[in-house]
Amino acid sequence: MKLTNNHNLPQTFINVLERPTYSKGKSNITATELLNSPRIVQLKRKHWDDIEQDASEMVWSLFGTAVHGVLEHGKDENHIVEERIHAKVNNWNISGAIDLQEINEDGIIISDYKVTSDWAVMNEKDDWHNQLNLYAYLVELVKKQPVKKLQIVAIIRNWSSRDAKTRDGYPQAPIVVIDIPVWPFEKRESYVHERIALHEEAFFDAETGGAVKECTAEEMWEKPEKFAVKKEGGVRAKSVHDTRDEAVAALPPKGYFIEHRVGERTRCASFCQVNQFCSQYQTYLSTKETV
Ligand code: SF4
């Protein structure tokens, strides 16, 4: 990957970003890749040397890495910090690095530390459940000890003391611990097998010159277009619809209009490192231009 420094960040940041902190060893696939869209994984593997990323976009993930220093320094005797666990599942070597494992007599507590936003904490994501249950699967498979608890330790980078006093449901401190339900072992196992099958297919397609499956709406963080019926001069919509026809049918005879709220693929547009190499996204953009 080509790292750029368009905003003249201090060289120390650049040095840290250029020095990888882990190797995935002998694994075919990391837990992070397994959880990711197979299309993104394949495009990254193919175009890694051509991907450009600016250091300024990586600052928060750098702080996420810096938290590991805190874990190392603050650990107790029964804590294992940043252990990379390797497991063989369906002939795939999977590895996952776990931030913190607390070893107790009645089971292990797994914690994942995230530097994230207040919005993410208030809108808990399925991704967190998938990730931590994948870790629980790997730990139980390899260590043969039960996992009794999963938790996200969220460090909220944009926490506001004012919002904490005035907004309902707003986190009351800049660090919050969020419990994640532990799935039964069978559910974790079938989830992992499902992810492996998806990636197996994508690897096969990529290696044989086939078309790698497209990303789903969920993987693209897609917000579909909407049609809002609004009063002229008003701010809030009277009603919001999936199609223009539905909005037309709901339009009162006088004094209202239809506002078209354009849909978007947020991840493709702003958060996907391979969007310039992705035919799915490029086709979407060209279709949008001609509408
Ligand atoms: S640009 Fe969008 S569709 Fe293409 S790989 Fe990235 S997330 Fe998937």
Side-chain angles (χ1 to χ4, degrees):
M1 191 179 69
K2 295 173 196 156
L3 185 69
T4 56
N5 186 11
N6 296 332
H7 299 277
N8 291 321
L9 265 57
Q11 188 59 34
T12 43
F13 282 90
I14 308 304
N15 290 345
V16 174
L17 290 170
E18 283 178 341
R19 292 171 191 161
T21 51
Y22 79 92
S23 136
K24 63 183 183 178
K26 287 187 182 149
S27 63
N28 303 119
I29 195 160
T30 62
T32 310
E33 287 176 318
L34 197 64
L35 294 159
N36 204 349
S37 136
R39 187 177 182 84
I40 295 180
V41 172
Q42 292 308 322
L43 286 172
K44 270 191 181 179
R45 287 189 173 216
K46 185 170 175 192
H47 297 285
W48 185 250
D49 292 341
D50 303 315
I51 294 171
E52 267 194 16
Q53 183 140 31
D54 195 63
S56 61
E57 295 162 2
M58 299 171 79
V59 164
W60 295 117
S61 70
L62 184 65
F63 273 82
T65 311
V67 167
H68 297 148
V70 175
L71 288 177
E72 195 56 56
H73 196 59
K75 70 182 179 188
D76 280 330
E77 270 180 10
N78 65 334
H79 288 181
I80 300 175
V81 172
E82 256 207 280
E83 183 184 22
R84 183 161 284 274
I85 299 207
H86 293 261
K88 193 159 187 168
V89 185
N90 287 358
N91 284 326
W92 280 67
N93 290 311
I94 304 172
S95 79
I98 299 175
D99 287 345
L100 179 65
Q101 296 167 73
E102 280 178 58
I103 314 296
N104 300 293
E105 276 181 10
D106 59 342
I108 299 174
I109 301 175
I110 293 177
S111 302
D112 190 67
Y113 282 65
K114 292 194 184 298
V115 178
T116 188
S117 65
D118 52 9
W119 186 91
V121 168
M122 293 172 81
N123 298 272
E124 203 178 298
K125 302 194 283 183
D126 283 350
D127 289 359
W128 292 356
H129 294 228
N130 298 341
Q131 181 195 358
L132 287 199
N133 276 287
L134 169 57
Y135 289 167
Y137 174 73
L138 294 176
V139 166
E140 280 191 11
L141 198 66
V142 172
K143 301 194 170 182
K144 314 280 185 230
Q145 290 174 53
V147 169
K148 69 167 191 174
K149 200 170 181 190
L150 299 173
Q151 54 194 27
I152 295 282
V153 180
I155 299 158
I156 306 166
R157 59 179 185 244
N158 60 339
W159 186 79
S160 146
S161 56
R162 187 161 173 263
D163 285 353
K165 286 187 197 115
T166 55
R167 281 176 64 190
D168 270 354
Y170 195 86
Q172 292 301 297
I175 298 181
V176 288
V177 179
I178 301 165
D179 284 337
I180 300 291
V182 183
W183 299 342
F185 185 82
E186 297 69 33
K187 183 176 173 184
R188 285 178 249 155
E189 186 163 60
S190 73
Y191 175 71
V192 172
H193 286 191
E194 199 183 294
R195 296 304 304 170
I196 289 176
L198 284 171
H199 282 276
E200 206 158 39
E201 189 185 331
F203 268 89
F204 180 80
D205 289 337
E207 272 168 28
T208 55
V212 175
K213 205 184 226 157
E214 297 204 326
C215 285
T216 61
E218 200 185 355
E219 285 166 337
M220 296 184 291
W221 307 344
E222 184 170 66
K223 288 191 207 122
E225 66 175 358
K226 295 281 179 192
F227 298 88
V229 173
K230 290 178 82 173
K231 194 171 190 175
E232 279 162 18
V235 179
R236 301 185 69 162
K238 175 178 175 288
S239 56
V240 180
H241 306 270
D242 293 339
T243 66
R244 185 177 290 279
D245 286 351
E246 283 172 22
V248 169
L251 195 64
K254 266 190 185 169
Y256 285 80
F257 68 103
I258 295 173
E259 178 186 84
H260 181 205
R261 295 180 179 170
V262 182
E264 61 176 337
R265 296 179 173 181
T266 311
R267 188 183 201 177
C268 306
S270 310
F271 297 95
C272 182
Q273 290 174 315
V274 289
N275 59 6
Q276 61 177 307
F277 308 109
C278 175
S279 57
Q280 182 182 356
Y281 184 52
Q282 296 306 324
T283 307
Y284 166 79
L285 285 182
S286 58
T287 329
K288 265 184 104 175
E289 274 162 20
T290 54
V291 168

